[in-house]
Amino acid sequence: MLQYVTLTIDGSRVRAAKGTSVLDAAIEYGICIPHLCHVPSLSDIGACRLCIVEHVRNGSSNVTTSCTLRVQEGMVIRTNTEKIVKLRRNIAELLVAEAPNSRAVQDIAVRCGVKEVRYPFRNNNCIQCGRCVRYCNQYWRANVLGFIGRGKDRHVDYPLGTRPDFCKNCGACTLYCPMSVTPCEGPMKRGEEHLCGKCESQLSMSASLPGACVRCDLGKGFQCARHA
Ligand code: FES
């Protein structure tokens, strides 16, 4: 039988089953915590760090990713403090610098209040969120993709660098990839990368309802939990 705990997120009492992540509990109650590497029903690896929150304990707090934090009885979570907003904005800015050609990343950056990108654009095709790897390995149990290498050489690839015969080409890795949808005006060439930031509807939504899930466009290209 499921056991439930009660916690507080941004001052609201939330009831969630034991074992649920704080991110899932928040989403269930319509509290928007920006997230990118989380895929409903797959394990979380805390890769993008966008879902950071403050976990308040004994008068002090620590910053942690809400997708990897399990709910506990009486826990107090703050998702939208000045500190979190600033840290999250910086993370989103770094992600845009890494992958300006991802509509999902650009949308999240807008939602997080990024106004400019102060870091050099790298224009990578992968932000190592691991969504494709986990979907392939955990959902299909195909183990066609994995993380190869370490440090700056770490990347997603087939085990021996070529697509194995047992890959059924289902395309789920592409479907779940935040790079699969480019910004509205199309891919940006090297040297011409910029913050898109033109999505007026998202800008006004984020300004008027900073902490609420407003069923924004973030789910369109890469399946936010709320829209899956
Ligand atoms: S969604 Fe939690 S770290 Fe990416």
Side-chain angles (χ1 to χ4, degrees), residues 95-167:
L95 284 171
V96 178
E98 192 70 22
N101 280 316
S102 163
R103 160 102 195 259
V105 169
Q106 291 271 8
D107 281 357
I108 284 175
V110 171
R111 190 87 166 90
C112 293
V114 176
K115 298 276 192 307
E116 60 170 335
V117 179
R118 297 161 297 169
Y119 302 99
F121 285 102
R122 288 162 54 93
N123 211 341
N124 272 336
N125 289 326
C126 177
I127 53 167
Q128 302 201 21
C129 63
R131 291 169 63 97
C132 56
V133 173
R134 283 173 290 144
Y135 199 81
C136 180
N137 298 351
Q138 295 174 20
Y139 188 84
W140 288 119
R141 303 201 182 287
N143 294 318
V144 168
L145 291 171
F147 284 108
I148 313 283
R150 319 190 88 176
K152 67 176 177 45
D153 296 327
R154 191 171 189 254
H155 63 282
V156 172
D157 207 343
Y158 302 119
L160 296 172
T162 48
R163 188 166 69 84
D165 290 343
F166 55 83
C167 171

Side-chain angles (χ1 to χ4, degrees), residues 37-51:
C37 64
H38 169 73
V39 184
S41 79
L42 300 186
S43 67
D44 285 298
I45 58 173
C48 73
R49 307 205 66 78
L50 278 166
C51 69

